Amino acid sequence: MKRSQIREQIFKLLFRVEFNKAEDMPEQIELFMEAPTLDTDENDYKEVALSEEEEKYIRNKFDDIVNHISEIDNIIGETAKGWSSERIGKVELTILRLAIYEIKFDDDIPVSVAIDQAVELSKRFGRDESYSFINGILAKLAN
């Protein structure tokens, strides 16, 4: 799988945090990992299995993001003046959490890539103008 496809899987798993209690997340993670993954590259929808390495990477990154979530939410509150994490849509909040994690805590991901991928995710999963909101907050954070 491409990095962008793996990032999408992390986004989808991280999105579940908004709808499940912390004690339910281990089960949610297992259900997520057992479910078929769709490869949406070039509009070709086919089921693909995650390799052991990909699954481990997704789990580790998810755990690390969750461990930093309160710090990430504070960064969102400081950067997005007038917007708290409770006020931002769940899709946009999840995308911001993932991107801010990559910008602040993941040295393997260049800032420009984290922003670009967040914008792409928001175009795909967010509301019509989500991408400009996401881009604005992340650009402000990157400066």
Side-chain angles (χ1 to χ4, degrees), residues 68-84:
H68 286 93
I69 216 159
S70 63
E71 190 174 350
I72 292 168
D73 286 353
N74 287 337
I75 293 170
I76 292 170
E78 292 168 7
T79 308
K81 300 289 183 211
W83 290 84
S84 66

Side-chain angles (χ1 to χ4, degrees), residues 9 24 28 34 36 41-42 58-59 65-66 80 89 93 115 131 137:
Q9 297 307 307
D24 295 335
Q28 287 298 314
E34 291 171 3
D41 193 34
E42 299 177 18
I58 291 168
R59 286 176 186 269
I65 294 168
V66 169
L93 178 61
I115 293 172
Y131 70 92
I137 290 175

Side-chain angles (χ1 to χ4, degrees), residues 10 16 32 41 45 65 69-71 73 80 93 97 106-107 109 116 118:
I10 295 165
R16 291 180 182 217
F32 181 83
D41 193 34
Y45 295 93
I65 294 168
I69 216 159
S70 63
E71 190 174 350
D73 286 353
L93 178 61
R97 284 174 171 166
D106 191 339
D107 296 333
I109 309 290
D116 180 61

